[in-house]
Amino acid sequence: MKILYSKFSRNRLPCFQIKTSILKDQGIIYVEKQALNKEAYAHIQNIYNNYTLLHSKYQNVEFVRTTKLGEDKLRFEFIEGNTLDGLLLSSIRSHDMNRFFKYLREYIDLLKSFGTNVIPKFQADNEFLKVFKFQPELENVECFSETNVDLTFDNILVNKSNSNKVIIDFEWILIANTPMDYIIFRSVSRLFWKYGNYLRGFLKIEEVFSELKISNIEQYQKMERGFQTYVLGNREYEIGSQYRRQTINLSELKNQANEYLVSIERNEASLSDTLMKNEELKREIDFVKQQQNEINSKLIHAQFQSEEFRNKVKNLEEVNSNLISSIHQAKNEIDILSNSLLTADVHISSILEEIRRIEGTWRGTVVKKIIGIEYFGKSQELEKSNEVRIEEYQSKLVLKKNEEIMDLQSRLQEMELKLEQVGKSKLSDQLEINHLKTHLTEILDRYHNVDLQNKHLARQNHENTVKNKELVDVYESIQKEFHQLKHQNENLLNQIYKGLGEEGNH
């Protein structure tokens, strides 16, 4: 079991002294009220009796579920939500007057749900006089027959889950006619006592009473003093006595307040400096991100160019391969033609050799004689003409093939030159890509360092915020104590003047 919060009401009379705790056990949170002595056992029983009475009688009002544990202890369900007091403070801080009075009207509507009756001339009974020790002079006043005297704004919770208003305190139930305006007066007075510093410049308490049509203020003040005496005994009157301290040096309190203000201003300056650094880091991070995006775009463009170059190289390699194949084919054709010419020369030579052989025989002699010298001359002329024709044809064929080979070699040289240029361009692009990758790595490292600095500043900012909140809470607590002292001082002066007046009368 873990204690989350504890409050001891030892400033009351012994029969009303209790301890209020918020506890957490196995993940479940609940609230307990426990008597601080045997005299207060009856008060614990009365609180439980109040719960059973109100819960059974007012079905239209929601009360926090309550369980009795032995003679000295009560357990209450813990409900998540905001108190009406907290919602009113929120509207005060934002200077939202419409929302402020909206919450007040909702509060009055909740009070009226307990049922009221108008009494033409108010007459206090014994139970009323026992608690308030005063007979107010009131006419045509709207009253409760059972009154939750301490139904203030901080004892009404707005449930977070369904927005229902839940009554979380029914310690002081009076079975006697009690003016509803007194309960409103008491709640508004307590609000102004607690948050007077926030309300300054927003609203005056007289303006709230006027808007809510609350009159008879002096009589309600006397009723409140009587109620405080009933609870506290013959002690100093004060609303919110749980904030009282026995002895406080006002001068020392002011010095502490000034020190806290200086500390708060220093923390605010530190926080402002931290926020400025955060803004600078954000701008630097945005610049680094912009550079990173530009580099990524360049890398993507370089990758597309590299892919395009690879495709061009591949196409050039295919063309080069085709040219080499064409050259080999041309060489093969030249070889085939050369072989054909060589075969033709051999055939012609064999024919000429046969002619010479025949001429050497007797038939040749006969033929020569028959045909004569003319045939022999034409034969030699034909032979020479045939040799010249063969040589010209062979020369033209070789020349044509040589031209084709030279053209192919020229194209091959051009392709090799292009390949060399593409290779150089590819190397240059690769160097550029490597440079961009190196630059990107440097930027990422820098971004990482900036991110670490930003996280460090964020932690410092959070620590400063927490410290600042603690200082503000302490300062608010000191302000409450200061208002408390001021109220005590005014009350003491009133008592002195009253005493002086009584002595003067005597």
Side-chain angles (χ1 to χ4, degrees):
M1 181 185 298
K2 183 179 180 181
I3 299 175
L4 303 179
Y5 168 84
S6 220
K7 182 183 75 172
F8 292 80
S9 302
R10 294 189 184 277
N11 57 334
R12 301 176 178 179
L13 291 173
C15 60
F16 297 133
Q17 290 182 1
I18 61 172
K19 176 182 71 172
T20 303
S21 303
I22 300 177
L23 308 170
K24 186 175 183 180
D25 187 15
Q26 297 181 352
I28 299 175
I29 301 176
Y30 51 88
V31 182
E32 285 187 353
K33 289 183 183 289
Q34 185 174 11
L36 292 177
N37 53 64
K38 287 188 177 181
E39 292 180 68
Y41 283 6
H43 187 57
I44 292 292
Q45 182 62 49
N46 284 336
I47 296 174
Y48 186 69
N49 292 342
N50 294 338
Y51 166 70
T52 56
L53 169 67
L54 297 173
H55 183 65
S56 60
K57 186 171 183 178
Y58 300 101
Q59 299 290 330
N60 58 329
V61 181
E62 189 173 345
F63 300 90
V64 64
R65 189 162 57 248
T66 307
T67 308
K68 193 167 187 296
L69 304 175
E71 292 182 292
D72 66 334
K73 190 184 296 183
L74 297 173
R75 178 171 292 179
F76 303 85
E77 176 190 10
F78 179 83
I79 300 174
E80 272 194 72
N82 291 318
T83 61
L84 193 54
D85 180 90
L87 294 174
L88 284 165
L89 177 59
S90 174
S91 68
I92 293 167
R93 282 177 166 170
S94 60
H95 280 221
D96 190 341
M97 197 171 295
N98 291 330
R99 190 153 58 98
F100 178 81
F101 281 105
K102 170 181 172 291
Y103 290 141
L104 288 182
R105 285 191 291 272
E106 290 178 358
Y107 170 71
I108 294 172
D109 290 341
L110 178 64
L111 291 181
K112 289 183 177 180
S113 65
F114 286 93
T116 60
N117 55 86
V118 177
I119 298 178
K121 186 173 179 60
F122 184 83
Q123 182 63 44
D125 60 12
N126 291 335
E127 191 67 24
F128 183 95
L129 293 174
K130 174 186 173 183
V131 173
F132 296 109
K133 299 174 175 57
F134 171 70
Q135 169 63 62
E137 296 179 0
L138 303 170
E139 293 182 354
N140 297 320
V141 60
E142 195 171 0
C143 294
F144 299 113
S145 57
E146 294 97 12
T147 307
N148 188 344
V149 179
D150 201 29
L151 191 54
T152 54
F153 302 130
D154 44 8
N155 285 329
I156 299 170
L157 189 73
V158 180
N159 196 324
K160 184 179 180 181
S161 62
N162 54 23
S163 299
N164 290 344
K165 293 181 178 62
V166 184
I167 310 300
I168 61 173
D169 193 295
F170 24 81
E171 188 173 353
W172 307 101
I173 302 299
L174 176 63
I175 310 299
N177 286 331
T178 308
M180 182 179 73
D181 284 355
Y182 163 68
I183 305 301
I184 299 171
F185 157 82
R186 190 170 190 274
S187 297
V188 172
S189 298
R190 180 177 176 82
L191 183 76
F192 270 79
W193 179 86
K194 287 176 68 177
Y195 305 126
N197 188 53
Y198 295 104
L199 283 156
R200 189 179 298 113
F202 176 60
L203 273 174
K204 295 180 179 179
I205 192 169
E206 294 82 6
E207 294 173 335
V208 178
F209 286 150
S210 175
E211 179 69 23
L212 301 180
K213 297 179 173 56
I214 305 297
S215 55
N216 303 308
I217 303 300
E218 291 183 2
Q219 297 198 61
Y220 294 146
Q221 287 175 339
K222 291 179 181 179
M223 286 177 61
E224 179 61 25
R225 283 195 285 272
F227 177 67
Q228 292 293 328
T229 302
Y230 173 73
V231 175
L232 304 175
N234 293 319
R235 304 187 184 192
E236 296 175 356
Y237 159 74
E238 54 179 331
I239 294 179
S241 58
Q242 63 268 35
Y243 300 104
R244 181 167 60 84
R245 299 292 181 270
Q246 295 298 325
T247 305
I248 297 178
N249 187 306
L250 186 57
S251 177
E252 182 181 348
L253 186 63
K254 288 181 178 179
N255 291 334
Q256 289 180 357
N258 289 332
E259 290 177 3
Y260 283 127
L261 285 173
V262 171
S263 178
I264 288 171
E265 290 175 358
R266 188 164 51 247
N267 280 320
E268 286 178 349
S270 175
L271 180 61
S272 176
D273 184 58
T274 301
L275 291 174
M276 288 178 63
K277 288 182 179 178
N278 279 344
E279 289 299 323
E280 290 177 2
L281 285 172
K282 285 179 181 178
R283 287 194 292 271
E284 190 170 355
I285 288 171
D286 290 338
F287 177 72
V288 170
K289 286 182 177 178
Q290 184 180 358
Q291 282 188 323
Q292 184 180 0
N293 291 334
E294 291 176 358
I295 290 173
N296 286 334
S297 298
K298 288 182 179 179
L299 282 174
I300 293 171
H301 181 67
Q303 288 174 352
F304 284 144
Q305 283 188 329
S306 178
E307 184 67 25
E308 186 178 353
F309 285 144
R310 280 196 291 269
N311 292 332
K312 287 183 178 179
V313 170
K314 186 177 179 180
N315 293 333
L316 289 172
E317 287 176 349
E318 290 178 357
V319 171
N320 185 31
S321 177
N322 292 333
L323 287 173
I324 293 172
S325 298
S326 298
I327 290 171
H328 287 305
Q329 185 178 357
K331 287 181 178 180
N332 291 333
E333 289 179 358
I334 290 172
D335 291 339
I336 292 170
L337 287 173
S338 297
N339 292 331
S340 297
L341 289 173
L342 182 60
T343 303
D345 290 341
V346 171
H347 183 63
I348 291 171
S349 297
S350 62
I351 291 173
L352 292 173
E353 186 65 31
E354 180 65 23
I355 290 171
R356 292 189 189 98
R357 187 184 64 78
I358 292 172
E359 287 176 349
T361 62
W362 61 269
R363 288 182 182 175
T365 304
V366 174
V367 170
K368 281 181 183 181
K369 287 180 178 182
I370 294 173
I371 297 176
I373 296 172
E374 184 179 357
Y375 166 79
F376 180 75
K378 288 184 178 182
S379 176
Q380 287 182 343
E381 183 180 349
L382 178 62
E383 183 179 350
K384 288 179 181 180
S385 176
N386 189 46
E387 289 177 357
V388 170
R389 182 172 54 80
I390 290 171
E391 286 178 0
E392 288 178 356
Y393 175 76
Q394 186 175 4
S395 177
K396 287 180 181 181
L397 184 62
V398 170
L399 181 62
K400 182 180 179 181
K401 293 301 178 182
N402 285 338
E403 288 176 354
E404 290 179 358
I405 290 171
M406 288 177 67
D407 182 59
L408 290 174
Q409 286 177 342
S410 176
R411 289 170 64 187
L412 181 60
Q413 287 176 355
E414 289 178 2
M415 292 298 177
E416 288 176 348
L417 182 61
K418 286 183 180 180
L419 284 173
E420 184 179 356
Q421 291 175 350
V422 169
K424 289 180 180 179
S425 176
K426 184 178 179 181
L427 178 61
S428 175
D429 289 337
Q430 187 62 45
L431 290 174
E432 177 68 16
I433 290 171
N434 292 339
H435 174 70
L436 290 174
K437 286 182 177 179
T438 303
H439 188 45
L440 177 60
T441 302
E442 292 174 355
I443 288 178
L444 289 175
D445 291 339
R446 186 180 178 192
Y447 177 79
H448 179 67
N449 292 332
V450 169
D451 187 53
L452 290 177
Q453 291 177 3
N454 192 29
K455 288 179 179 178
H456 178 67
L457 286 173
R459 282 197 297 271
Q460 286 184 337
N461 186 19
H462 176 70
E463 291 171 0
N464 288 334
T465 302
V466 172
K467 183 183 283 187
N468 192 31
K469 185 179 181 303
E470 291 174 354
L471 290 171
V472 170
D473 291 341
V474 172
Y475 179 64
E476 289 178 357
S477 176
I478 289 174
Q479 284 184 321
K480 291 177 183 177
E481 292 173 356
F482 177 76
H483 287 296
Q484 170 68 25
L485 285 172
K486 183 179 177 182
H487 186 80
Q488 290 177 4
N489 188 39
E490 291 174 354
N491 189 57
L492 182 60
L493 289 173
N494 290 333
Q495 291 178 357
I496 291 171
Y497 291 145
K498 183 177 180 182
L500 291 173
E502 291 176 354
E503 288 180 2
N505 293 331
H506 290 306

